[in-house]
Amino acid sequence: MGAAVVKGWTTLFAGVMLLGTLAGCSGSGSSENTATPSGNTAAPSESVKSTEPPAKQVTLHMIESLTSPERTKLLQDAIARFQKDNPNIKVELISPPFDQADNKIRTMLAAKQELDILEVRDLNIAEYVNNGYLEPLDTYASSWADSKTLSGTSKVVGSNNGKLYFIANALYQRQMFYRKDWFDAKGLSAPKTWEELVDSAKKLTDPKQNRYGFSFRGGPGANGNFDHMIYDYNDKVMNLDDAPFTKDGKSVYSTPEAKQALELYKKLYKEASPPDSINWGFQDQVQAFTSGVTGILLQDPDVIKVLQDKMDPKTLETAAMPLGPNGKSLVSTGAAGWGVTANSKSKNEAWKLISYLSSPKENTEFSKQIGTIPIHTSATADAFFQTGPYKTLLDMTAKADVFVNFTPPFKYPGNGSWGELSMKGQQSYLLDKKSTDDTLKEWDKFWLDQKAGMKK
């Protein structure tokens, strides 16, 4: 493997380590004392009775967001190992269906139901912090030995307004997966641009055989694709530190390039995707790809293991994300992780579990099993993350001038509701109930209102 590639992967883990240190671990945080898993101590003599009181029995209520049967099982196994080492702590894990999980979490938080640990996502951290739902973790992390190897990226995505609010359990960066056998049969190469992707997807489509070129996602999470396209078409004017705004303070949805991108997005749906995919979520689009209904899938690396388990390896190939018309792709590293609720009565015990799950050993193994990017820089030495489908991610991160990083709008409280609002808007647009101009005007107003609200 070339040195440049390895360096690129290392950059993803550690490239913003200094920034992460400033943003994640130097601010003032909780006044609670740090509670970390205790080490082994010498056993007392049998003839001497211990004078220490027994550890207090505590039950932690924990809820995950990015649920799947496989992931939940891995989490349950890790919790069981923790409970074996900490018999005084019982953990009750809540695992709602993926498409309902974030709304379930919001409901529990708003109702002040009993909850100690929650899975926070990059897209809702500002919302939760703004509503006072999260406890800052800076004080805990500052005394946590394993924080020394946390990647800068993981610290940045888990922070808001200079304070650390969640320890990432995984990092996500999108790439292209495609059916090599389909492409070979048509004499096609992996598409390098959005235009080429739409063209290839059209050539792969044959509705009579229930075969479609693209695994479209028009339900929850739909904005992952049309936002990406609109951003790529606005790479020259985008404020990389304040998405989705341009350098002159306008929203990218107000530009002629946004209209061009959105119309191409509609073409992708109308001419190369299953009609019912307008309602598809994560599970639907992945299943369509693995079952041979669709030929191209844009997804995070957490699908790698599922694809490998369900597909003939000769049919699966990966490629970099498509580029915009100027030869650039604007990328960001997504994340989710564990936070402590502000009203938890067992914050020390909650942190003890989080620090256990977030240790290099636990997190690296967890990442291998679910196919995500680990949060510790020490994992870069593991050959597992330098081979196979991960090579595409290595190649992308090595080309920082082509795959340009931007800061997502995590700081805006309304970011958490953008997914649902924009999903409904694009569904109306795809069903010809709303024009391109009206759709973009609605989105433009949403983000201008967000910016105005931050100034108050």
Side-chain angles (χ1 to χ4, degrees), residues 157-307:
V157 296
S159 299
N160 183 267
N161 292 328
K163 291 184 179 182
L164 183 68
Y165 286 98
F166 73 79
I167 304 296
N169 53 39
L171 302 174
Y172 303 84
Q173 188 164 311
R174 189 166 291 198
Q175 64 181 313
M176 185 191 308
F177 301 88
Y178 65 94
R179 301 279 311 214
K180 187 176 184 300
D181 51 336
W182 290 21
F183 274 72
D184 288 348
K186 293 286 185 178
L188 299 172
S189 299
K192 292 181 171 60
T193 68
W194 286 107
E195 288 275 2
E196 289 180 7
L197 184 147
V198 174
D199 184 61
S200 296
K202 287 173 58 180
K203 291 177 179 177
L204 295 172
T205 298
D206 185 353
K208 292 181 180 179
Q209 296 188 45
N210 193 33
R211 177 177 286 194
Y212 297 87
F214 189 68
S215 215
F216 197 83
R217 182 176 180 176
N223 63 299
N225 283 334
F226 59 75
D227 274 347
H228 203 139
M229 294 176 73
I230 291 172
Y231 285 16
D232 287 355
Y233 273 64
N234 281 280
D235 69 290
K236 287 187 174 181
V237 298
M238 172 81 92
N239 183 343
L240 298 177
D241 295 320
D242 192 21
F245 297 99
T246 62
K247 296 171 184 176
D248 59 1
K250 299 178 182 178
S251 92
V252 294
Y253 304 102
S254 65
T255 67
E257 290 79 12
K259 183 173 183 179
Q260 184 182 357
L262 193 59
E263 289 175 345
L264 183 64
Y265 173 78
K266 187 171 188 176
K267 187 176 183 181
L268 180 61
Y269 169 69
K270 292 278 191 179
E271 301 181 26
S273 305
D276 60 338
S277 63
I278 193 170
N279 295 310
W280 283 3
F282 171 77
Q283 303 283 4
D284 305 299
Q285 66 166 175
V286 174
Q287 183 177 0
F289 184 72
T290 58
S291 64
V293 175
T294 58
I296 301 173
L297 173 70
L298 302 179
Q299 255 306 336
D300 295 322
D302 57 332
V303 303
I304 290 175
K305 191 174 189 312
V306 175
L307 302 187

Side-chain angles (χ1 to χ4, degrees), residues 192-195 232-233 321-329 402-403:
K192 292 181 171 60
T193 68
W194 286 107
E195 288 275 2
D232 287 355
Y233 273 64
M321 283 296 290
L323 306 178
N326 301 312
K328 306 286 185 182
S329 177
V402 175
F403 298 94

Side-chain angles (χ1 to χ4, degrees), residues 386-407:
Q386 301 173 2
T387 56
Y390 291 93
K391 186 179 184 302
T392 299
L393 293 171
L394 293 172
D395 292 342
M396 288 173 62
T397 56
K399 300 175 181 176
D401 59 331
V402 175
F403 298 94
V404 182
N405 276 283
F406 72 92
T407 303

